Amino acid sequence: MSGVWVFKKEGFRLMENGEAERCRMKKKVLVHLASGEVVSSYGSLEQILSNLGWERYYGRDLQLYQFHKHSSTDLISLPKDFSKFTSVYMYDIVIKNPNVFHVRDN
């Protein structure tokens, strides 16, 4: 018997390996709340971020897209390859731009 134990308020259960893998593979998307637009490229994200006062930061690491704001010490660092844009990066953007973005299941 192998799998993952899932604990919730209602109780707990064993999730078999195949089921656990399917749950892990759920794709997340970043949504711009004002427009309802799903961010589907760095081009659209850069346009939204620039409207919020973020600027491209050209650092030494050529594998990253980076954005900074003059009014803060925050830096958003994203992988150059959009296919590697995971929920970890999405939540970083959400935290640094409260009430502007939302992460949801695709």
Side-chain angles (χ1 to χ4, degrees), residues 1-84:
M1 182 149 99
S2 64
V4 176
W5 285 98
V6 177
F7 295 87
K8 294 188 176 181
K9 235 189 288 188
E10 306 84 44
F12 61 92
R13 70 183 183 96
L14 177 65
M15 192 182 296
E16 296 298 326
N17 280 337
E19 185 182 1
E21 188 62 30
R22 280 190 302 280
C23 286
R24 206 176 4 244
M25 296 300 287
K26 276 187 185 174
K27 194 85 168 134
K28 301 280 188 185
V29 292
L30 182 67
V31 179
H32 180 237
L33 293 175
S35 66
E37 172 191 354
V38 171
V39 175
S40 57
S41 70
Y42 283 146
S44 65
L45 179 60
E46 185 171 2
Q47 185 175 14
I48 295 166
L49 289 175
S50 69
N51 290 339
L52 296 169
W54 291 89
E55 296 178 357
R56 266 304 285 283
Y57 174 75
Y58 296 93
R60 293 184 181 173
D61 193 342
L62 301 177
Q63 300 303 311
L64 296 175
Y65 275 124
Q66 295 183 311
F67 299 90
H68 74 97
K69 236 181 185 180
H70 286 291
S71 61
S72 77
T73 58
D74 288 336
L75 182 69
I76 297 173
S77 296
L78 308 171
K80 197 86 157 180
D81 183 357
F82 190 77
S83 68
K84 295 178 181 169

